[in-house]
Amino acid sequence: MNRILKQGTISRLAVKLNVKGEQSVVKGHPWVFSNSIVKINANAKTGDLAIIFSKNKNKVIGIGLYDADSPIRIKIIHNGQTKVEINAVFFHHKIEVAFNKRSELLKTNTNSYRLIFGENDGFPGLIADIYNRVLVVKLYSEIWLPYLEPILQSLQEISNANSTVIRLSRNLQNSKNHSLEDGDIVHGTLENEVVEFVEHGVHFSANVIKGHKTGYFLDHRDNRRRVGELSKGKTVLDVFSYAGGFSVHALANGATEVTSLDISKQALEVAVQNGKRNSYSGVHKTIAGDAFQEMEKLIKRKKTFDVVVIDPPSFAKQKSEVDLAKKKYTQLAELGIQLTAKRGLLVLASCSSRVLAQSFFDLNQNVLNSQPRRFKTILKTQHDIDHPVTFPEGAYLKCGYYRFLE
């Protein structure tokens, strides 16, 4: 393990940046864009080690992995002037550090968590999630291919996983530079591609071979727990419910009636099955359809709920989509207000990284202030403990809790 990885296949690149790029690296930012590079070896290839030198004093200020296919040309894996050797031990230590950050979460009745959160844990373009004893690693960049074997060994060892699944982003699925396939089981075996796991005492499942991302969305875990606790004896509407995260926590915590609304009938079927993995006495209803249209229909029927959760997918994947995203968030807040019963709770969430947290919370506040109903902001949350944020673009999740007073 203590060796330079795939020695002879990886080149070392000497890199110098312009002033803006250099300042960014010195401040600890993990991305170096192609237009920041002023000097680099001519034969640079994806996966090469990029040693970044300061422009004037010629000191090493960072080390990254070169990505020939991305505008983020160098993805930083080590900031600062501390001497390091990039080998299996280096990556093993980083994974240990990441694991220790999750220690408080693992003391709860939870066996599903994000072990590696990309750049935020020093692994840009790599995600590692644990579902019970199953490790699911998703790759978004070919930079990791030369280093993958020892990294997987360390992830397995540190997480105590007994099987490992590789998931690939679309660009890696289409690449001819490797022999991996999306959903490959590269360690151990799986009896079933649907893996059961526990989240704060509530039982769920994830399809780790074919499911979206790594099979489930772990980032909202603490919000789901909190909504569950606030749903005892209540009626609940879970909009954009997907596999029923908020719905199932509400049912398991004693909600009298839960309605899961999602455009995907398949996701709603999973939500119902996830509900049945737990003991509950309430009623679980589902609505399949466009969230905006279905919420309008519920309003026309004068239907209201004690708890309304609206957690849409990202509306702004590009900068050009931010204004439209804000309009959609405004519309959802307006619809949510009308569906929330007297003294009810409205929970509004966003996972659009390009819509900053303060902007999202201000937008919600403005919509609520424009309504005649009095309300109180009771909580604003962002990432759970296993999704640490170490640079601005790494933050995407935000969630506001608004209690109506009448």
PDB file of all heavy atoms in Angstrom, residues 190-224:
ATOM      1  N   LEU A 190     -23.660  -9.237  -3.806  1.00  0.00           N
ATOM      2  CA  LEU A 190     -24.938  -8.681  -3.376  1.00  0.00           C
ATOM      3  C   LEU A 190     -26.023  -9.710  -3.606  1.00  0.00           C
ATOM      4  O   LEU A 190     -26.170 -10.232  -4.712  1.00  0.00           O
ATOM      5  CB  LEU A 190     -25.272  -7.416  -4.178  1.00  0.00           C
ATOM      6  CG  LEU A 190     -24.723  -6.065  -3.716  1.00  0.00           C
ATOM      7  CD1 LEU A 190     -25.279  -4.965  -4.607  1.00  0.00           C
ATOM      8  CD2 LEU A 190     -25.055  -5.782  -2.269  1.00  0.00           C
ATOM      9  N   GLU A 191     -26.792 -10.017  -2.576  1.00  0.00           N
ATOM     10  CA  GLU A 191     -27.918 -10.936  -2.742  1.00  0.00           C
ATOM     11  C   GLU A 191     -29.046 -10.252  -3.505  1.00  0.00           C
ATOM     12  O   GLU A 191     -29.807 -10.889  -4.226  1.00  0.00           O
ATOM     13  CB  GLU A 191     -28.419 -11.403  -1.375  1.00  0.00           C
ATOM     14  CG  GLU A 191     -27.442 -12.313  -0.638  1.00  0.00           C
ATOM     15  CD  GLU A 191     -27.994 -12.766   0.693  1.00  0.00           C
ATOM     16  OE1 GLU A 191     -29.208 -12.576   0.941  1.00  0.00           O
ATOM     17  OE2 GLU A 191     -27.218 -13.322   1.491  1.00  0.00           O
ATOM     18  N   ASN A 192     -29.141  -8.925  -3.324  1.00  0.00           N
ATOM     19  CA  ASN A 192     -30.228  -8.162  -3.934  1.00  0.00           C
ATOM     20  C   ASN A 192     -29.713  -6.762  -4.229  1.00  0.00           C
ATOM     21  O   ASN A 192     -28.996  -6.186  -3.410  1.00  0.00           O
ATOM     22  CB  ASN A 192     -31.423  -8.105  -2.968  1.00  0.00           C
ATOM     23  CG  ASN A 192     -32.699  -7.631  -3.648  1.00  0.00           C
ATOM     24  OD1 ASN A 192     -32.681  -6.730  -4.482  1.00  0.00           O
ATOM     25  ND2 ASN A 192     -33.816  -8.251  -3.293  1.00  0.00           N
ATOM     26  N   GLU A 193     -30.072  -6.227  -5.395  1.00  0.00           N
ATOM     27  CA  GLU A 193     -29.623  -4.861  -5.709  1.00  0.00           C
ATOM     28  C   GLU A 193     -30.331  -3.822  -4.847  1.00  0.00           C
ATOM     29  O   GLU A 193     -29.887  -2.685  -4.743  1.00  0.00           O
ATOM     30  CB  GLU A 193     -29.830  -4.551  -7.194  1.00  0.00           C
ATOM     31  CG  GLU A 193     -31.261  -4.573  -7.667  1.00  0.00           C
ATOM     32  CD  GLU A 193     -31.374  -4.431  -9.184  1.00  0.00           C
ATOM     33  OE1 GLU A 193     -30.508  -4.977  -9.908  1.00  0.00           O
ATOM     34  OE2 GLU A 193     -32.319  -3.765  -9.632  1.00  0.00           O
ATOM     35  N   VAL A 194     -31.427  -4.218  -4.210  1.00  0.00           N
ATOM     36  CA  VAL A 194     -32.121  -3.338  -3.261  1.00  0.00           C
ATOM     37  C   VAL A 194     -31.588  -3.626  -1.863  1.00  0.00           C
ATOM     38  O   VAL A 194     -31.749  -4.735  -1.341  1.00  0.00           O
ATOM     39  CB  VAL A 194     -33.648  -3.544  -3.321  1.00  0.00           C
ATOM     40  CG1 VAL A 194     -34.335  -2.690  -2.257  1.00  0.00           C
ATOM     41  CG2 VAL A 194     -34.172  -3.220  -4.709  1.00  0.00           C
ATOM     42  N   VAL A 195     -30.957  -2.629  -1.272  1.00  0.00           N
ATOM     43  CA  VAL A 195     -30.303  -2.796   0.028  1.00  0.00           C
ATOM     44  C   VAL A 195     -31.117  -2.070   1.100  1.00  0.00           C
ATOM     45  O   VAL A 195     -31.474  -0.896   0.941  1.00  0.00           O
ATOM     46  CB  VAL A 195     -28.863  -2.226  -0.012  1.00  0.00           C
ATOM     47  CG1 VAL A 195     -28.213  -2.307   1.361  1.00  0.00           C
ATOM     48  CG2 VAL A 195     -28.037  -2.972  -1.058  1.00  0.00           C
ATOM     49  N   GLU A 196     -31.408  -2.760   2.181  1.00  0.00           N
ATOM     50  CA  GLU A 196     -32.134  -2.141   3.299  1.00  0.00           C
ATOM     51  C   GLU A 196     -31.157  -1.472   4.253  1.00  0.00           C
ATOM     52  O   GLU A 196     -30.061  -1.980   4.488  1.00  0.00           O
ATOM     53  CB  GLU A 196     -32.951  -3.201   4.045  1.00  0.00           C
ATOM     54  CG  GLU A 196     -34.067  -3.793   3.205  1.00  0.00           C
ATOM     55  CD  GLU A 196     -34.990  -4.677   4.027  1.00  0.00           C
ATOM     56  OE1 GLU A 196     -35.219  -4.352   5.215  1.00  0.00           O
ATOM     57  OE2 GLU A 196     -35.473  -5.686   3.486  1.00  0.00           O
ATOM     58  N   PHE A 197     -31.565  -0.322   4.790  1.00  0.00           N
ATOM     59  CA  PHE A 197     -30.720   0.405   5.739  1.00  0.00           C
ATOM     60  C   PHE A 197     -31.597   1.161   6.733  1.00  0.00           C
ATOM     61  O   PHE A 197     -32.825   1.212   6.581  1.00  0.00           O
ATOM     62  CB  PHE A 197     -29.775   1.364   5.010  1.00  0.00           C
ATOM     63  CG  PHE A 197     -30.469   2.439   4.206  1.00  0.00           C
ATOM     64  CD1 PHE A 197     -30.724   3.686   4.761  1.00  0.00           C
ATOM     65  CD2 PHE A 197     -30.856   2.205   2.888  1.00  0.00           C
ATOM     66  CE1 PHE A 197     -31.359   4.676   4.025  1.00  0.00           C
ATOM     67  CE2 PHE A 197     -31.484   3.195   2.139  1.00  0.00           C
ATOM     68  CZ  PHE A 197     -31.738   4.427   2.715  1.00  0.00           C
ATOM     69  N   VAL A 198     -30.963   1.706   7.750  1.00  0.00           N
ATOM     70  CA  VAL A 198     -31.682   2.398   8.832  1.00  0.00           C
ATOM     71  C   VAL A 198     -31.204   3.850   8.922  1.00  0.00           C
ATOM     72  O   VAL A 198     -30.011   4.131   8.831  1.00  0.00           O
ATOM     73  CB  VAL A 198     -31.451   1.689  10.185  1.00  0.00           C
ATOM     74  CG1 VAL A 198     -32.204   2.408  11.304  1.00  0.00           C
ATOM     75  CG2 VAL A 198     -31.881   0.232  10.106  1.00  0.00           C
ATOM     76  N   GLU A 199     -32.170   4.749   9.113  1.00  0.00           N
ATOM     77  CA  GLU A 199     -31.879   6.176   9.231  1.00  0.00           C
ATOM     78  C   GLU A 199     -32.597   6.695  10.484  1.00  0.00           C
ATOM     79  O   GLU A 199     -33.816   6.819  10.500  1.00  0.00           O
ATOM     80  CB  GLU A 199     -32.387   6.878   7.967  1.00  0.00           C
ATOM     81  CG  GLU A 199     -32.190   8.361   7.925  1.00  0.00           C
ATOM     82  CD  GLU A 199     -32.709   8.960   6.624  1.00  0.00           C
ATOM     83  OE1 GLU A 199     -32.022   8.849   5.599  1.00  0.00           O
ATOM     84  OE2 GLU A 199     -33.812   9.540   6.632  1.00  0.00           O
ATOM     85  N   HIS A 200     -31.849   6.931  11.550  1.00  0.00           N
ATOM     86  CA  HIS A 200     -32.430   7.372  12.823  1.00  0.00           C
ATOM     87  C   HIS A 200     -33.598   6.470  13.243  1.00  0.00           C
ATOM     88  O   HIS A 200     -34.670   6.944  13.638  1.00  0.00           O
ATOM     89  CB  HIS A 200     -32.867   8.833  12.756  1.00  0.00           C
ATOM     90  CG  HIS A 200     -31.729   9.802  12.664  1.00  0.00           C
ATOM     91  ND1 HIS A 200     -30.702   9.837  13.587  1.00  0.00           N
ATOM     92  CD2 HIS A 200     -31.437  10.751  11.744  1.00  0.00           C
ATOM     93  CE1 HIS A 200     -29.837  10.781  13.251  1.00  0.00           C
ATOM     94  NE2 HIS A 200     -30.249  11.342  12.142  1.00  0.00           N
ATOM     95  N   GLY A 201     -33.365   5.164  13.134  1.00  0.00           N
ATOM     96  CA  GLY A 201     -34.358   4.192  13.586  1.00  0.00           C
ATOM     97  C   GLY A 201     -35.453   3.883  12.590  1.00  0.00           C
ATOM     98  O   GLY A 201     -36.288   3.007  12.843  1.00  0.00           O
ATOM     99  N   VAL A 202     -35.488   4.589  11.455  1.00  0.00           N
ATOM    100  CA  VAL A 202     -36.518   4.373  10.440  1.00  0.00           C
ATOM    101  C   VAL A 202     -35.906   3.567   9.288  1.00  0.00           C
ATOM    102  O   VAL A 202     -34.795   3.849   8.848  1.00  0.00           O
ATOM    103  CB  VAL A 202     -37.087   5.712   9.931  1.00  0.00           C
ATOM    104  CG1 VAL A 202     -38.154   5.480   8.873  1.00  0.00           C
ATOM    105  CG2 VAL A 202     -37.666   6.510  11.101  1.00  0.00           C
ATOM    106  N   HIS A 203     -36.654   2.571   8.808  1.00  0.00           N
ATOM    107  CA  HIS A 203     -36.124   1.643   7.801  1.00  0.00           C
ATOM    108  C   HIS A 203     -36.439   2.095   6.377  1.00  0.00           C
ATOM    109  O   HIS A 203     -37.565   2.509   6.078  1.00  0.00           O
ATOM    110  CB  HIS A 203     -36.704   0.237   8.044  1.00  0.00           C
ATOM    111  CG  HIS A 203     -36.249  -0.368   9.333  1.00  0.00           C
ATOM    112  ND1 HIS A 203     -35.214  -1.280   9.400  1.00  0.00           N
ATOM    113  CD2 HIS A 203     -36.665  -0.169  10.609  1.00  0.00           C
ATOM    114  CE1 HIS A 203     -35.025  -1.623  10.663  1.00  0.00           C
ATOM    115  NE2 HIS A 203     -35.889  -0.967  11.415  1.00  0.00           N
ATOM    116  N   PHE A 204     -35.433   1.995   5.519  1.00  0.00           N
ATOM    117  CA  PHE A 204     -35.551   2.369   4.113  1.00  0.00           C
ATOM    118  C   PHE A 204     -34.850   1.334   3.243  1.00  0.00           C
ATOM    119  O   PHE A 204     -34.238   0.388   3.740  1.00  0.00           O
ATOM    120  CB  PHE A 204     -34.890   3.733   3.863  1.00  0.00           C
ATOM    121  CG  PHE A 204     -35.663   4.899   4.392  1.00  0.00           C
ATOM    122  CD1 PHE A 204     -35.407   5.412   5.650  1.00  0.00           C
ATOM    123  CD2 PHE A 204     -36.648   5.504   3.620  1.00  0.00           C
ATOM    124  CE1 PHE A 204     -36.110   6.492   6.153  1.00  0.00           C
ATOM    125  CE2 PHE A 204     -37.361   6.586   4.098  1.00  0.00           C
ATOM    126  CZ  PHE A 204     -37.089   7.083   5.363  1.00  0.00           C
ATOM    127  N   SER A 205     -34.904   1.568   1.929  1.00  0.00           N
ATOM    128  CA  SER A 205     -34.147   0.745   0.993  1.00  0.00           C
ATOM    129  C   SER A 205     -33.606   1.627  -0.121  1.00  0.00           C
ATOM    130  O   SER A 205     -34.137   2.706  -0.395  1.00  0.00           O
ATOM    131  CB  SER A 205     -35.043  -0.344   0.384  1.00  0.00           C
ATOM    132  OG  SER A 205     -36.045   0.254  -0.433  1.00  0.00           O
ATOM    133  N   ALA A 206     -32.537   1.148  -0.766  1.00  0.00           N
ATOM    134  CA  ALA A 206     -31.948   1.856  -1.906  1.00  0.00           C
ATOM    135  C   ALA A 206     -31.558   0.834  -2.960  1.00  0.00           C
ATOM    136  O   ALA A 206     -30.979  -0.202  -2.635  1.00  0.00           O
ATOM    137  CB  ALA A 206     -30.722   2.652  -1.467  1.00  0.00           C
ATOM    138  N   ASN A 207     -31.868   1.136  -4.215  1.00  0.00           N
ATOM    139  CA  ASN A 207     -31.380   0.306  -5.306  1.00  0.00           C
ATOM    140  C   ASN A 207     -30.001   0.827  -5.675  1.00  0.00           C
ATOM    141  O   ASN A 207     -29.876   1.853  -6.341  1.00  0.00           O
ATOM    142  CB  ASN A 207     -32.321   0.353  -6.513  1.00  0.00           C
ATOM    143  CG  ASN A 207     -31.930  -0.669  -7.574  1.00  0.00           C
ATOM    144  OD1 ASN A 207     -30.756  -0.858  -7.871  1.00  0.00           O
ATOM    145  ND2 ASN A 207     -32.924  -1.341  -8.130  1.00  0.00           N
ATOM    146  N   VAL A 208     -28.973   0.133  -5.211  1.00  0.00           N
ATOM    147  CA  VAL A 208     -27.600   0.636  -5.346  1.00  0.00           C
ATOM    148  C   VAL A 208     -27.024   0.385  -6.738  1.00  0.00           C
ATOM    149  O   VAL A 208     -25.975   0.920  -7.084  1.00  0.00           O
ATOM    150  CB  VAL A 208     -26.672   0.014  -4.271  1.00  0.00           C
ATOM    151  CG1 VAL A 208     -27.115   0.439  -2.884  1.00  0.00           C
ATOM    152  CG2 VAL A 208     -26.617  -1.502  -4.397  1.00  0.00           C
ATOM    153  N   ILE A 209     -27.710  -0.430  -7.542  1.00  0.00           N
ATOM    154  CA  ILE A 209     -27.245  -0.729  -8.901  1.00  0.00           C
ATOM    155  C   ILE A 209     -27.882   0.199  -9.928  1.00  0.00           C
ATOM    156  O   ILE A 209     -27.211   0.722 -10.818  1.00  0.00           O
ATOM    157  CB  ILE A 209     -27.560  -2.201  -9.297  1.00  0.00           C
ATOM    158  CG1 ILE A 209     -26.955  -3.174  -8.276  1.00  0.00           C
ATOM    159  CG2 ILE A 209     -27.062  -2.504 -10.711  1.00  0.00           C
ATOM    160  CD1 ILE A 209     -25.436  -3.196  -8.256  1.00  0.00           C
ATOM    161  N   LYS A 210     -29.184   0.440  -9.792  1.00  0.00           N
ATOM    162  CA  LYS A 210     -29.914   1.203 -10.805  1.00  0.00           C
ATOM    163  C   LYS A 210     -30.516   2.502 -10.288  1.00  0.00           C
ATOM    164  O   LYS A 210     -31.029   3.299 -11.069  1.00  0.00           O
ATOM    165  CB  LYS A 210     -31.045   0.341 -11.386  1.00  0.00           C
ATOM    166  CG  LYS A 210     -30.555  -0.914 -12.095  1.00  0.00           C
ATOM    167  CD  LYS A 210     -31.736  -1.784 -12.479  1.00  0.00           C
ATOM    168  CE  LYS A 210     -31.265  -3.121 -13.050  1.00  0.00           C
ATOM    169  NZ  LYS A 210     -32.386  -4.079 -13.185  1.00  0.00           N
ATOM    170  N   GLY A 211     -30.481   2.725  -8.983  1.00  0.00           N
ATOM    171  CA  GLY A 211     -31.111   3.908  -8.410  1.00  0.00           C
ATOM    172  C   GLY A 211     -30.398   5.196  -8.797  1.00  0.00           C
ATOM    173  O   GLY A 211     -29.248   5.190  -9.232  1.00  0.00           O
ATOM    174  N   HIS A 212     -31.094   6.309  -8.629  1.00  0.00           N
ATOM    175  CA  HIS A 212     -30.531   7.618  -8.955  1.00  0.00           C
ATOM    176  C   HIS A 212     -29.324   7.907  -8.059  1.00  0.00           C
ATOM    177  O   HIS A 212     -29.323   7.548  -6.887  1.00  0.00           O
ATOM    178  CB  HIS A 212     -31.606   8.691  -8.765  1.00  0.00           C
ATOM    179  CG  HIS A 212     -31.272  10.012  -9.379  1.00  0.00           C
ATOM    180  ND1 HIS A 212     -30.872  10.143 -10.692  1.00  0.00           N
ATOM    181  CD2 HIS A 212     -31.272  11.261  -8.856  1.00  0.00           C
ATOM    182  CE1 HIS A 212     -30.645  11.418 -10.954  1.00  0.00           C
ATOM    183  NE2 HIS A 212     -30.880  12.112  -9.851  1.00  0.00           N
ATOM    184  N   LYS A 213     -28.308   8.562  -8.627  1.00  0.00           N
ATOM    185  CA  LYS A 213     -27.053   8.866  -7.902  1.00  0.00           C
ATOM    186  C   LYS A 213     -26.440   7.557  -7.371  1.00  0.00           C
ATOM    187  O   LYS A 213     -26.045   6.708  -8.128  1.00  0.00           O
ATOM    188  CB  LYS A 213     -27.312   9.860  -6.761  1.00  0.00           C
ATOM    189  CG  LYS A 213     -27.946  11.166  -7.203  1.00  0.00           C
ATOM    190  CD  LYS A 213     -26.966  12.083  -7.877  1.00  0.00           C
ATOM    191  CE  LYS A 213     -27.583  13.436  -8.159  1.00  0.00           C
ATOM    192  NZ  LYS A 213     -26.670  14.378  -8.816  1.00  0.00           N
ATOM    193  N   THR A 214     -26.411   7.392  -6.034  1.00  0.00           N
ATOM    194  CA  THR A 214     -25.902   6.131  -5.469  1.00  0.00           C
ATOM    195  C   THR A 214     -27.045   5.237  -4.992  1.00  0.00           C
ATOM    196  O   THR A 214     -26.801   4.181  -4.413  1.00  0.00           O
ATOM    197  CB  THR A 214     -24.949   6.384  -4.280  1.00  0.00           C
ATOM    198  OG1 THR A 214     -25.695   6.994  -3.217  1.00  0.00           O
ATOM    199  CG2 THR A 214     -23.773   7.265  -4.683  1.00  0.00           C
ATOM    200  N   GLY A 215     -28.276   5.669  -5.215  1.00  0.00           N
ATOM    201  CA  GLY A 215     -29.429   4.872  -4.825  1.00  0.00           C
ATOM    202  C   GLY A 215     -30.416   5.609  -3.942  1.00  0.00           C
ATOM    203  O   GLY A 215     -31.585   5.230  -3.842  1.00  0.00           O
ATOM    204  N   TYR A 216     -29.964   6.682  -3.280  1.00  0.00           N
ATOM    205  CA  TYR A 216     -30.835   7.405  -2.352  1.00  0.00           C
ATOM    206  C   TYR A 216     -30.211   8.771  -2.102  1.00  0.00           C
ATOM    207  O   TYR A 216     -29.052   9.015  -2.469  1.00  0.00           O
ATOM    208  CB  TYR A 216     -30.968   6.621  -1.037  1.00  0.00           C
ATOM    209  CG  TYR A 216     -32.082   7.086  -0.137  1.00  0.00           C
ATOM    210  CD1 TYR A 216     -33.411   6.904  -0.498  1.00  0.00           C
ATOM    211  CD2 TYR A 216     -31.820   7.700   1.082  1.00  0.00           C
ATOM    212  CE1 TYR A 216     -34.442   7.328   0.328  1.00  0.00           C
ATOM    213  CE2 TYR A 216     -32.849   8.122   1.916  1.00  0.00           C
ATOM    214  CZ  TYR A 216     -34.151   7.932   1.535  1.00  0.00           C
ATOM    215  OH  TYR A 216     -35.168   8.351   2.344  1.00  0.00           O
ATOM    216  N   PHE A 217     -30.980   9.669  -1.486  1.00  0.00           N
ATOM    217  CA  PHE A 217     -30.473  11.000  -1.134  1.00  0.00           C
ATOM    218  C   PHE A 217     -30.284  11.057   0.382  1.00  0.00           C
ATOM    219  O   PHE A 217     -31.254  11.141   1.139  1.00  0.00           O
ATOM    220  CB  PHE A 217     -31.451  12.083  -1.588  1.00  0.00           C
ATOM    221  CG  PHE A 217     -31.604  12.168  -3.081  1.00  0.00           C
ATOM    222  CD1 PHE A 217     -32.676  11.556  -3.716  1.00  0.00           C
ATOM    223  CD2 PHE A 217     -30.684  12.844  -3.852  1.00  0.00           C
ATOM    224  CE1 PHE A 217     -32.821  11.619  -5.095  1.00  0.00           C
ATOM    225  CE2 PHE A 217     -30.815  12.923  -5.240  1.00  0.00           C
ATOM    226  CZ  PHE A 217     -31.884  12.302  -5.857  1.00  0.00           C
ATOM    227  N   LEU A 218     -29.047  11.026   0.825  1.00  0.00           N
ATOM    228  CA  LEU A 218     -28.755  10.988   2.260  1.00  0.00           C
ATOM    229  C   LEU A 218     -28.682  12.379   2.892  1.00  0.00           C
ATOM    230  O   LEU A 218     -28.734  12.510   4.114  1.00  0.00           O
ATOM    231  CB  LEU A 218     -27.421  10.259   2.488  1.00  0.00           C
ATOM    232  CG  LEU A 218     -27.391   8.783   2.059  1.00  0.00           C
ATOM    233  CD1 LEU A 218     -25.967   8.247   2.122  1.00  0.00           C
ATOM    234  CD2 LEU A 218     -28.315   7.949   2.932  1.00  0.00           C
ATOM    235  N   ASP A 219     -28.565  13.418   2.077  1.00  0.00           N
ATOM    236  CA  ASP A 219     -28.258  14.748   2.604  1.00  0.00           C
ATOM    237  C   ASP A 219     -29.352  15.329   3.500  1.00  0.00           C
ATOM    238  O   ASP A 219     -29.063  16.119   4.392  1.00  0.00           O
ATOM    239  CB  ASP A 219     -27.931  15.725   1.467  1.00  0.00           C
ATOM    240  CG  ASP A 219     -28.955  15.709   0.343  1.00  0.00           C
ATOM    241  OD1 ASP A 219     -29.998  15.040   0.481  1.00  0.00           O
ATOM    242  OD2 ASP A 219     -28.714  16.366  -0.688  1.00  0.00           O
ATOM    243  N   HIS A 220     -30.622  14.948   3.274  1.00  0.00           N
ATOM    244  CA  HIS A 220     -31.742  15.524   4.034  1.00  0.00           C
ATOM    245  C   HIS A 220     -32.051  14.745   5.306  1.00  0.00           C
ATOM    246  O   HIS A 220     -33.082  14.971   5.933  1.00  0.00           O
ATOM    247  CB  HIS A 220     -32.998  15.550   3.171  1.00  0.00           C
ATOM    248  CG  HIS A 220     -33.345  16.898   2.626  1.00  0.00           C
ATOM    249  ND1 HIS A 220     -33.397  18.035   3.400  1.00  0.00           N
ATOM    250  CD2 HIS A 220     -33.670  17.291   1.371  1.00  0.00           C
ATOM    251  CE1 HIS A 220     -33.751  19.067   2.649  1.00  0.00           C
ATOM    252  NE2 HIS A 220     -33.907  18.641   1.414  1.00  0.00           N
ATOM    253  N   ARG A 221     -31.174  13.829   5.680  1.00  0.00           N
ATOM    254  CA  ARG A 221     -31.463  12.911   6.784  1.00  0.00           C
ATOM    255  C   ARG A 221     -31.953  13.643   8.033  1.00  0.00           C
ATOM    256  O   ARG A 221     -32.968  13.269   8.638  1.00  0.00           O
ATOM    257  CB  ARG A 221     -30.218  12.100   7.127  1.00  0.00           C
ATOM    258  CG  ARG A 221     -30.402  11.110   8.271  1.00  0.00           C
ATOM    259  CD  ARG A 221     -29.099  10.539   8.765  1.00  0.00           C
ATOM    260  NE  ARG A 221     -28.301   9.967   7.687  1.00  0.00           N
ATOM    261  CZ  ARG A 221     -27.282  10.602   7.116  1.00  0.00           C
ATOM    262  NH1 ARG A 221     -26.949  11.827   7.516  1.00  0.00           N
ATOM    263  NH2 ARG A 221     -26.590  10.034   6.149  1.00  0.00           N
ATOM    264  N   ASP A 222     -31.220  14.662   8.471  1.00  0.00           N
ATOM    265  CA  ASP A 222     -31.573  15.327   9.723  1.00  0.00           C
ATOM    266  C   ASP A 222     -32.889  16.093   9.597  1.00  0.00           C
ATOM    267  O   ASP A 222     -33.669  16.158  10.553  1.00  0.00           O
ATOM    268  CB  ASP A 222     -30.448  16.269  10.159  1.00  0.00           C
ATOM    269  CG  ASP A 222     -30.524  16.585  11.643  1.00  0.00           C
ATOM    270  OD1 ASP A 222     -30.737  15.646  12.444  1.00  0.00           O
ATOM    271  OD2 ASP A 222     -30.394  17.766  12.008  1.00  0.00           O
ATOM    272  N   ASN A 223     -33.148  16.654   8.422  1.00  0.00           N
ATOM    273  CA  ASN A 223     -34.441  17.315   8.203  1.00  0.00           C
ATOM    274  C   ASN A 223     -35.576  16.302   8.212  1.00  0.00           C
ATOM    275  O   ASN A 223     -36.656  16.577   8.736  1.00  0.00           O
ATOM    276  CB  ASN A 223     -34.422  18.082   6.871  1.00  0.00           C
ATOM    277  CG  ASN A 223     -33.579  19.335   6.950  1.00  0.00           C
ATOM    278  OD1 ASN A 223     -33.659  20.100   7.901  1.00  0.00           O
ATOM    279  ND2 ASN A 223     -32.744  19.554   5.940  1.00  0.00           N
ATOM    280  N   ARG A 224     -35.337  15.124   7.639  1.00  0.00           N
ATOM    281  CA  ARG A 224     -36.378  14.080   7.669  1.00  0.00           C
ATOM    282  C   ARG A 224     -36.672  13.658   9.105  1.00  0.00           C
ATOM    283  O   ARG A 224     -37.833  13.473   9.483  1.00  0.00           O
ATOM    284  CB  ARG A 224     -35.931  12.881   6.830  1.00  0.00           C
ATOM    285  CG  ARG A 224     -35.898  13.163   5.335  1.00  0.00           C
ATOM    286  CD  ARG A 224     -35.725  11.894   4.530  1.00  0.00           C
ATOM    287  NE  ARG A 224     -34.380  11.359   4.578  1.00  0.00           N
ATOM    288  CZ  ARG A 224     -33.461  11.502   3.632  1.00  0.00           C
ATOM    289  NH1 ARG A 224     -33.723  12.244   2.566  1.00  0.00           N
ATOM    290  NH2 ARG A 224     -32.268  10.937   3.733  1.00  0.00           N
TER     291      ARG A 224
END
